[in-house]
């Protein structure tokens, strides 16, 4: 007389194999996903700089000079203060503008302590009054083609 017992459930070995497979997939997927998220969040810097450039042009039309700082209230007196926030919309980048009567350079730098600071490929973005865009990685090397695409 033979017994036809069927095994029910999973063995420990099968469970370990499944956990290893899931672990390998997660080890591949998570860094790829994080990289994608950082690239998508770069638009925060680009949008902020393009908006800042637009504000500078409006300021120039009103005051006949470019602003050299970002402040709470616009002022044409002295060097000039541009009204606006000192951070990008999501707060991932800090914004600075340096200007004089005839030119300006606006810069967005990844804020220390924010997630975008981990994006070493595109740490700092700039745009000038002539529309020249540039970007640098964490080491200060030009990476404009990668960052402004």
């Amino acid at each position: 007389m033979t017994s036809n017992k069927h095994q029910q459930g999973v063995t420990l070995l099968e469970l370990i194999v499944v956990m290893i497979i899931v672990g390998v997939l997660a080890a591949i997927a998570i860094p790829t996903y994080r990289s994608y998220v950082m690239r998508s969040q770069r638009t925060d810097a680009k949008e902020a700089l393009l908006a800042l450039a637009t504000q500078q042009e409006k300021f120039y039309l009103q005051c006949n000079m470019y602003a050299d700082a970002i402040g709470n209230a616009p002022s044409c007196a002295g060097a000039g203060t541009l009204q606006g926030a000192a951070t990008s919309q999501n707060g991932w980048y800090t914004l600075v503008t340096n200007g004089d009567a005839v030119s300006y350079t606006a810069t967005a730098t990844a804020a220390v302590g924010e997630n975008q600071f981990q994006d070493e490929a595109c740490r700092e973005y700039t745009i000038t009054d002539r529309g020249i865009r540039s970007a640098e990685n964490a080491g200060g090397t030009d990476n404009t083609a990668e960052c402004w695409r």
Side-chain angles (χ1 to χ4, degrees), residues 80-105:
T81 304
L82 187 65
Q83 182 174 2
T87 61
S88 60
Q89 181 176 359
N90 294 315
W92 294 319
Y93 294 88
T94 57
L95 305 174
V96 175
T97 187
N98 297 315
D100 56 30
V102 294
S103 66
Y104 73 86
T105 300

Side-chain angles (χ1 to χ4, degrees), residues 56 60 65-68 97-105 128-130:
Q56 279 283 30
Y60 187 84
M65 67 178 184
Y66 290 111
D68 75 338
T97 187
N98 297 315
D100 56 30
V102 294
S103 66
Y104 73 86
T105 300
T128 68
D129 58 290
R130 297 184 306 170

Side-chain angles (χ1 to χ4, degrees), residues 4-8:
N4 275 343
K5 284 188 176 179
H6 292 291
Q7 187 178 25
Q8 293 183 6

Side-chain angles (χ1 to χ4, degrees), residues 25-72:
L25 291 175
I28 294 169
I30 291 172
T32 302
Y33 174 74
R34 181 65 189 134
S35 172
Y36 171 76
V37 168
M38 280 194 294
R39 280 190 320 222
S40 69
Q41 291 174 344
R42 291 174 185 168
T43 58
D44 193 39
K46 294 179 226 177
E47 288 175 357
L49 283 181
L50 294 174
L52 192 56
T54 301
Q55 288 177 315
Q56 279 283 30
E57 295 305 326
K58 283 182 178 178
F59 189 88
Y60 187 84
L61 287 173
Q62 294 172 351
C63 301
N64 202 28
M65 67 178 184
Y66 290 111
D68 75 338
I70 301 172
N72 293 329

